[in-house]
Amino acid sequence: FGKRLRTKENGRIKHALPRPELKTIDELPSNDANHIKQEAALLKTMKPYLADDHETSIQIKDLLNKIFSVTGITEEFDVIIYQSNYPNASISPYVREIRISSELFELMDWREDLILAVLAHEVGHALLRSGDLDSRSDLLKDKIANYEEEYQADRASVIIMNRLGGKADLLSESLKRLATNSEECIRHAKTMAAGIGVPYKAVWLTQSHPFIPRRQIAIKNLARQLPRIKTENERKISKFTESDYKNPY
């Protein structure tokens, strides 16, 4: 992945993004395609979510289009904002969806710039997954590859934010706000390890993302290599309440 985000121009390193060659769901093996379709359909059957024409959904779509304008992505993506007490954002390039939990907005204090940095990270995942789904079965190798993809999606966020004229390392602040939740997960993992009598390092295999402080260091190191650009004034995402949700169908 690292090579895909770094190219040489006149002997100097130039930070670049992969070409947006997003596959469609029909190009995937049938088993993978069916699994992804079922996962996408399941979310709206379990969680209340905002309508497409809700003000917040429209704002997030506008932010996505800003990101797409500097990455070359031309496909339309649906935005699903769903009710959850767990802060999370994810992207499914194969069904052209990006999903954001209500708690993530709360944790980011409804700040547009912090949400934008998270969205840029998710779009980085879409760019990095333009190839076929990986069928690795080795758990340790799979974990290392997943961690590497997270680091490279972070790098994509830095590059995208810089191209948009924002603070390149803003994702670091977004991650800082997620760190409290991450620490709770680590405490839970240690408790679980003690309960089943295994070393905590064995439970490390259950963690889906690298430790946040390590990611923050990598983000800031890359941001130092990019030109500093004056940032816009802080703006807020429109808040929504429980009455705004559509019930699961």
Side-chain angles (χ1 to χ4, degrees), residues 140-197:
L140 181 59
K141 287 182 180 179
D142 189 47
K143 173 63 63 176
I144 293 171
N146 287 344
Y147 275 24
E148 176 65 11
E149 182 175 324
E150 289 299 328
Y151 280 118
Q152 294 306 321
D154 288 348
R155 289 172 62 86
S157 177
V158 172
I159 295 168
I160 290 168
M161 292 297 289
N162 184 255
R163 289 183 179 182
L164 290 172
K167 188 180 178 185
D169 63 354
L170 202 56
L171 182 63
S172 179
E173 185 174 342
S174 299
L175 291 175
K176 182 180 179 181
R177 292 167 181 254
L178 288 166
T180 301
N181 183 268
S182 178
E183 289 166 3
E184 290 175 359
C185 290
I186 291 171
R187 285 195 292 272
H188 174 72
K190 288 182 176 179
T191 302
M192 182 173 68
I196 60 178

Side-chain angles (χ1 to χ4, degrees), residues 39-40 43 80 82 88-92 95 97-101:
E39 181 185 45
L43 180 62
I80 300 176
Y82 63 94
N88 191 39
S90 62
I91 195 165
S92 180
V95 292
E97 281 185 356
I98 189 158
R99 305 148 188 166
I100 312 168
S101 72

Side-chain angles (χ1 to χ4, degrees), residues 7-234:
T7 57
K8 283 193 174 181
E9 186 175 85
N10 297 327
R12 299 183 64 182
I13 294 295
K14 175 186 176 183
H15 294 286
L17 294 170
R19 292 184 61 186
E21 299 173 352
L22 304 185
K23 287 185 176 293
T24 66
I25 194 78
D26 296 327
E27 294 179 84
L28 300 179
S30 59
N31 287 341
D32 293 330
N34 290 335
H35 173 76
I36 292 171
K37 287 178 181 177
Q38 289 169 5
E39 181 185 45
L42 188 62
L43 180 62
K44 285 188 175 181
T45 66
M46 297 179 63
K47 302 284 187 180
Y49 60 96
L50 296 184
D52 293 340
D53 59 356
H54 188 279
E55 183 179 1
T56 307
S57 299
I58 294 171
Q59 280 182 292
I60 296 302
K61 197 150 193 174
D62 287 343
L63 293 183
L64 267 183
N65 287 334
K66 285 177 66 174
I67 293 171
F68 292 167
S69 72
V70 297
T71 57
I73 294 176
T74 57
E75 290 84 356
E76 285 285 328
F77 273 64
D78 290 329
V79 172
I80 300 176
I81 299 172
Y82 63 94
Q83 187 179 40
S84 175
N85 293 327
Y86 182 77
N88 191 39
S90 62
I91 195 165
S92 180
Y94 307 107
V95 292
R96 309 294 194 256
E97 281 185 356
I98 189 158
R99 305 148 188 166
I100 312 168
S101 72
S102 56
E103 184 62 22
L104 186 70
F105 290 96
E106 294 284 354
L107 206 59
M108 299 300 142
D109 195 29
W110 301 88
R111 280 178 52 182
E112 181 182 282
D113 55 350
L114 295 179
I115 296 292
L116 183 63
V118 173
L119 293 177
H121 169 91
E122 295 304 326
V123 171
H125 278 299
L127 293 171
L128 291 164
R129 293 178 191 170
S130 58
D132 292 323
L133 288 177
D134 201 323
S135 58
R136 287 183 300 269
S137 59
D138 186 301
L139 183 60
L140 181 59
K141 287 182 180 179
D142 189 47
K143 173 63 63 176
I144 293 171
N146 287 344
Y147 275 24
E148 176 65 11
E149 182 175 324
E150 289 299 328
Y151 280 118
Q152 294 306 321
D154 288 348
R155 289 172 62 86
S157 177
V158 172
I159 295 168
I160 290 168
M161 292 297 289
N162 184 255
R163 289 183 179 182
L164 290 172
K167 188 180 178 185
D169 63 354
L170 202 56
L171 182 63
S172 179
E173 185 174 342
S174 299
L175 291 175
K176 182 180 179 181
R177 292 167 181 254
L178 288 166
T180 301
N181 183 268
S182 178
E183 289 166 3
E184 290 175 359
C185 290
I186 291 171
R187 285 195 292 272
H188 174 72
K190 288 182 176 179
T191 302
M192 182 173 68
I196 60 178
V198 299
Y200 166 63
K201 288 184 178 180
V203 184
W204 165 78
L205 291 172
T206 68
Q207 305 301 310
S208 61
H209 290 64
F211 290 122
I212 286 177
R214 294 177 183 174
R215 294 173 66 186
Q216 289 175 308
I217 291 171
I219 288 167
K220 289 185 177 296
N221 285 341
L222 175 59
R224 289 191 192 101
Q225 302 174 39
L226 301 174
R228 293 182 180 274
I229 302 174
K230 185 177 180 181
T231 57
E232 298 179 358
N233 294 328
E234 179 185 315

